[in-house]
Amino acid sequence: MQLLQKLVSFATCAYLVFLLLLPFVNSTQEQLKTTGTSTKNENIKDKLSPKLLFEITLHGFLLWASMGFLMPVGILAIRMSHREACGRRLKILFYVHSISQQMLSVLLSTAGAVMSIKNFNNSFDNHHQRIGVGLYGMVWLQAITGLLRPRRGSKGRSLWFFVHWITGTAVSLLGIISIYTGLQAYHQKTSRSIHLWTIVFTTEVSFIIFFYLFQDKWVYIQKQGVILGDEPVRPSHQVISPGEKKKESATESY
C-alpha cells in the first residue's frame, strides 16, 4: 500500500508540473490567433449582457473558491495532521479538513453547477463542460466516502482510506484542469485577456505543491545534525579494549 501511494504521489507531482507548463503554452497560442478570430470574439462580447457576464464571473469565482482554495486547504490540513501528537491540534486539523472539503467546497461547487445549468448554454461542446460533469460527480463521491468513514482498526478501514484518498487526488487534479479550461472558456466567451489570472493561479498552485512537499519533510530537516540526549554518540562497531573497560569502571565508582 505504501509503495502504491508513493508511485501515485510521484505521478501526481509529475502531472502537476505538466499542468503548470500548460497555461504558458495556451497563452502563446492565444497570442497567435488570427484577426478574424479576434473580430468574432468581439462580436460575441457585444452580445453578452452585463447580467450574463456577472454570472459567468461569479461561476468562475465559485469554482476557484471550491477547487482552487478550499480543496487544497483541506488536503494540507489532513497532511499536517499525520505528524501531530497533540490531541487538540489533531482535532482542529481534522475539523478544518472536514469543513473545508466535505461542507464548504461541496456547497460552492453545487452552487456553481446550479448556475451553469440554469443560466448557461450547456451544449457540452468544450472540455470545460465535460470535465465539470465528471468533477461534480467526483466531488460528491469523495464527500460521501468521507461521511461513511469506518472506525480506525476495523476491517474496511484500509479499503476506505484508499478509496477516499484516490478520489480526493482525482478531485484535486480535475479541479485544477477545470479552472484552467474555465479560463480558456471565459476568454473565448468574453474575448478578455486571461494572461494575468493564469499567472496568478499558476503561482498559487506552485506554492501549494511546494508547501505540500516541504511540510512533510520539515521535522526531518530540523532533526538533521541534532544528537538526541546528552551523551556522546559512539559508533557501534568500535572495539573497546579490556584496559579501557577497567578505566571506565573505575571512573564510574567515583
Side-chain angles (χ1 to χ4, degrees), residues 44-139:
I44 295 175
K45 180 182 177 181
D46 294 336
K47 297 179 181 179
L48 292 178
S49 63
K51 180 181 178 182
L52 181 58
L53 185 61
F54 170 77
E55 290 172 348
I56 293 174
T57 305
L58 181 59
H59 170 79
F61 175 78
L62 291 175
L63 179 63
W64 168 81
S66 175
M67 297 291 105
F69 179 73
L70 292 173
M71 187 64 67
V73 166
I75 292 175
L76 294 176
I78 202 65
R79 181 80 169 183
M80 294 172 63
S81 68
H82 293 165
R83 56 186 180 86
E84 276 293 339
C86 178
R88 184 171 179 271
R89 293 181 180 179
L90 185 61
K91 287 183 179 180
I92 292 175
L93 291 173
F94 175 76
Y95 285 129
V96 169
H97 169 77
S98 300
I99 293 173
S100 61
Q101 278 197 348
Q102 298 180 2
M103 294 179 61
L104 298 178
S105 181
V106 174
L107 290 176
L108 292 181
S109 62
T110 302
V114 171
M115 286 187 61
S116 177
I117 295 173
K118 182 179 179 181
N119 302 316
F120 304 152
N121 180 20
N122 297 298
S123 57
F124 299 100
D125 57 351
N126 58 59
H127 296 298
H128 179 66
Q129 292 178 343
R130 296 167 185 168
I131 293 173
V133 174
L135 176 62
Y136 186 64
M138 292 295 294
V139 165

Side-chain angles (χ1 to χ4, degrees), residues 17-250:
V17 171
F18 171 76
L19 291 177
L20 294 178
L21 299 177
L22 183 61
F24 297 101
V25 178
N26 292 334
S27 299
T28 305
Q29 292 177 352
E30 175 187 339
Q31 296 176 356
L32 297 177
K33 288 184 177 180
T34 60
T35 307
T37 305
S38 300
T39 306
K40 182 179 179 181
N41 288 335
E42 289 294 333
N43 295 331
I44 295 175
K45 180 182 177 181
D46 294 336
K47 297 179 181 179
L48 292 178
S49 63
K51 180 181 178 182
L52 181 58
L53 185 61
F54 170 77
E55 290 172 348
I56 293 174
T57 305
L58 181 59
H59 170 79
F61 175 78
L62 291 175
L63 179 63
W64 168 81
S66 175
M67 297 291 105
F69 179 73
L70 292 173
M71 187 64 67
V73 166
I75 292 175
L76 294 176
I78 202 65
R79 181 80 169 183
M80 294 172 63
S81 68
H82 293 165
R83 56 186 180 86
E84 276 293 339
C86 178
R88 184 171 179 271
R89 293 181 180 179
L90 185 61
K91 287 183 179 180
I92 292 175
L93 291 173
F94 175 76
Y95 285 129
V96 169
H97 169 77
S98 300
I99 293 173
S100 61
Q101 278 197 348
Q102 298 180 2
M103 294 179 61
L104 298 178
S105 181
V106 174
L107 290 176
L108 292 181
S109 62
T110 302
V114 171
M115 286 187 61
S116 177
I117 295 173
K118 182 179 179 181
N119 302 316
F120 304 152
N121 180 20
N122 297 298
S123 57
F124 299 100
D125 57 351
N126 58 59
H127 296 298
H128 179 66
Q129 292 178 343
R130 296 167 185 168
I131 293 173
V133 174
L135 176 62
Y136 186 64
M138 292 295 294
V139 165
W140 273 100
L141 177 62
Q142 203 261 349
I144 292 174
T145 56
L147 294 175
L148 299 178
R149 178 171 58 99
R151 292 182 176 272
R152 186 178 297 273
S154 60
K155 294 182 179 180
R157 178 76 180 195
S158 298
L159 179 60
W160 168 86
F161 177 82
F162 178 77
V163 173
H164 187 64
W165 170 73
I166 201 68
T167 53
T169 303
V171 167
S172 300
L173 293 177
L174 287 177
I176 293 174
I177 297 174
S178 180
I179 292 175
Y180 279 128
T181 56
L183 288 172
Q184 293 296 324
Y186 177 81
H187 170 72
Q188 294 175 2
K189 194 74 174 178
T190 64
S191 74
R192 294 186 176 184
S193 176
I194 59 172
H195 188 67
L196 176 61
W197 296 113
T198 302
I199 293 177
V200 170
F201 183 65
T202 302
T203 304
E204 179 196 356
V205 173
S206 302
F207 173 78
I208 291 172
I209 295 174
F210 173 79
F211 187 77
Y212 178 85
L213 298 175
F214 178 77
Q215 59 90 24
D216 190 44
K217 297 297 182 181
W218 176 240
V219 177
Y220 179 78
I221 293 173
Q222 289 179 317
K223 291 181 179 180
Q224 296 303 301
V226 178
I227 299 177
L228 300 179
D230 299 330
E231 297 181 356
V233 178
R234 174 177 293 174
S236 58
H237 62 274
Q238 183 177 355
V239 180
I240 303 176
S241 62
E244 292 179 351
K245 290 182 179 181
K246 292 181 179 179
K247 291 180 181 179
E248 290 181 358
S249 59

